[in-house]
Amino acid sequence: MLWEYTEERCREGRGEGDHIKISFSPNLRLLAVGQVDFCHSDPLIFPLVIGNMTLFNGELPFYPRPHFAAGISVPLLVVIVVFLALAASFLLILPGIRGHSRWYWCVRILISLFIGAEIVAVNFSGEWYVGRVRANTSYKAFTSAQVDADIGMQVGLEGVNITLRGVPVYQLNETINYNEKFSWRFGDKYEEEYEEALQRGLPNPVLYLAEKFTPASPCGLYRQYRLAGHYASATLWVAFCFWLLSNALLSMPVPLYGGLSLLFAGAFVFFAIFSFVSISSVPLCPIHLGSKLLTTHYGVAFWITLATGILCLLLGGMVVCLHYTKPSALRTFLDLSDDHVVQAKSEIPHFYSNPLHLSPKCKQATPDIQLTVHL
C-alpha cells in the first residue's frame, strides 16, 4: 500500500489535527518511514510530493549528497591505454620476424614505446612534487569537530591535487574521502575553481591547501608553479617530437641522425626538469595542519622523467659512437644490412658487347703482321 493513514486527535491540549503515518513503497527508491504531525505545522507549508522523490540522479532530496573521490586522470589513462595497445599489437606480429632480428626489434620497439609513453604521460601526472601528513585537524567551518585524516598534496604541471581521507574513512556520520584538483592551465581560472570549492563547502584542510596556491596568496606559489609547469610541458612536447623523428630516422639507413635526434630529445627532457627544479627548489610556505607540518619532496613523475632523459642521452650517444667505431654492428642491431646497396647496384642495367655486332669504328683493327707457324 502506497500511503497508510491513521487519524487521531491531538491530546494534552495541543489542539486538533491529523497525525499521519507515511510509509514509502520500495518502488519509489526511498526506503523510510516518517511521521508528520500537523498539530504544530500548517499542512499548506508541508507539501507532500507523490511520485518519484529521488532527485539528483537517484540521491535522496534534502540530505547531504555523498562524496566520491576522483579516480585516475582521464588523459593519463588514455595515454597509457594507447601505448599499451601499440605494444600489444607489436608483440602479436613479433613471431613473424625471423632470426635474431626478432629480439633486436623487440628491444628497440619496447624501449622506444616506453620513452614516448613516459614523455607524454608525465604531462598529465600530478606526482611531480608531493607531500603527505597524517594529522588531527578541524573538519569544516562553523564547527569544532575534529577528524583524523591523511592529507596529501600532489603538484603537477597542470595544477595541484589535494586529497583528504579519514582514518577511519567513516567519521562524523559521513564518508571522508575527497580528491580535488585545481588547475592552472591556459584557459582555466584557478580563482573560479577555488571560489566554487568555497561554495561547495569543502573541508578546511582542502581549502587551506588550495588557498596557498591562489594568485592572491602571499606565498606566491601560483605564479611560480604555473610558469614552471607551462615551460616544462612545452619542452616535453618538443622532446616528444624529436622522439618521433628519431624513430623515423633509425628505420632508415641514416642512424647517425637518429642518434642525434635522441640526444636532442634527452636534452629537452632535461630542460623540462631544470625548469621545474628551479621553482620547486624554493621552499614552500610553512603548511601546518593541526599540530603537524606538511613536508614535500619530488614525486614519482619527476624521477621517471629524469631516468628517461638519462636513457635518451645514453642511447643517442651509443648510436653516434657506434656509427663511427663499429658501423657494421650498428647496422646489424638496427637490422640495416647492405642489401639495399646490393639491390641498388643490381637494378643498374648491364650491357654486354658482341664484337660481331659492333660498328666498324668500334671494331678492333687487324694487326699488320701475321705470324705463321709450321710444325
Side-chain angles (χ1 to χ4, degrees), residues 95-210:
I97 303 176
R98 299 179 180 179
H100 296 289
S101 59
R102 173 189 305 171
W103 308 113
Y104 297 155
W105 274 97
C106 181
V107 173
R108 283 181 55 194
I109 297 300
L110 292 182
I111 292 179
S112 178
L113 287 178
F114 168 77
I115 294 175
E118 194 279 335
I119 293 176
V120 178
V122 293
N123 281 278
F124 308 103
S125 175
E127 295 287 333
W128 280 78
Y129 204 59
V130 299
R132 184 172 294 275
V133 66
R134 181 173 178 178
N136 182 272
T137 180
S138 61
Y139 183 47
K140 287 188 177 182
F142 309 110
T143 178
S144 59
Q146 301 281 321
V147 294
D148 291 325
D150 284 329
I151 306 165
M153 180 185 70
Q154 297 88 30
V155 180
L157 303 183
E158 297 184 340
V160 58
N161 201 74
I162 302 171
T163 60
L164 176 69
R165 183 178 178 86
V167 182
V169 177
Y170 189 77
Q171 298 182 49
L172 303 178
N173 295 326
E174 66 173 288
T175 300
I176 303 176
N177 190 9
Y178 293 83
N179 191 333
E180 303 294 332
K181 183 177 181 180
F182 300 89
S183 176
W184 50 57
R185 294 177 301 180
F186 284 121
D188 294 340
K189 294 184 178 180
Y190 190 96
E191 304 94 328
E192 294 182 359
E193 295 184 4
Y194 178 69
E195 292 177 0
E196 181 183 355
L198 290 174
Q199 295 174 1
R200 290 167 54 193
L202 292 180
N204 283 345
V206 177
L207 297 176
Y208 173 71
L209 290 177

Side-chain angles (χ1 to χ4, degrees), residues 121-132 151-163 179-184 190 209-210 212-214 220-230 232 275-277 279-285 287 294-303 305:
V122 293
N123 281 278
F124 308 103
S125 175
E127 295 287 333
W128 280 78
Y129 204 59
V130 299
R132 184 172 294 275
I151 306 165
M153 180 185 70
Q154 297 88 30
V155 180
L157 303 183
E158 297 184 340
V160 58
N161 201 74
I162 302 171
T163 60
N179 191 333
E180 303 294 332
K181 183 177 181 180
F182 300 89
S183 176
W184 50 57
Y190 190 96
L209 290 177
K212 293 291 184 180
F213 290 88
T214 55
L221 300 178
Y222 172 78
R223 182 174 292 102
Q224 296 176 5
Y225 280 94
R226 182 173 180 266
L227 292 178
H230 289 332
S275 63
F276 190 82
V277 170
I279 297 301
S280 58
S281 60
V282 179
L284 289 172
C285 295
I287 300 177
L294 179 68
T295 57
T296 55
H297 56 86
Y298 293 113
V300 177
F302 175 85
W303 296 113
T305 306

Side-chain angles (χ1 to χ4, degrees), residues 245-358:
L245 183 62
S246 67
N247 282 279
L249 294 176
L250 289 175
S251 300
M252 302 178 184
V254 282
L256 174 62
Y257 300 106
L260 293 176
S261 298
L262 270 179
L263 288 176
F264 279 111
F268 276 98
V269 170
F270 273 96
F271 290 156
I273 293 175
F274 292 151
S275 63
F276 190 82
V277 170
S278 62
I279 297 301
S280 58
S281 60
V282 179
L284 289 172
C285 295
I287 300 177
H288 294 278
L289 295 165
S291 59
K292 300 296 183 64
L293 179 65
L294 179 68
T295 57
T296 55
H297 56 86
Y298 293 113
V300 177
F302 175 85
W303 296 113
I304 292 181
T305 306
L306 179 62
T308 303
I310 296 175
L311 181 62
C312 289
L313 293 179
L314 290 177
L315 293 177
M318 188 182 302
V319 170
V320 173
C321 292
L322 289 177
H323 175 77
Y324 289 107
T325 58
K326 294 183 179 180
S328 60
L330 179 61
R331 287 196 299 269
T332 301
F333 179 76
L334 298 177
D335 198 22
L336 298 175
S337 60
D338 294 332
D339 296 340
H340 63 281
V341 179
V342 176
Q343 183 180 3
K345 291 183 178 179
S346 62
E347 292 177 355
I348 300 176
H350 296 276
F351 297 94
Y352 299 95
S353 59
N354 190 344
L356 298 178
H357 299 283
L358 293 176

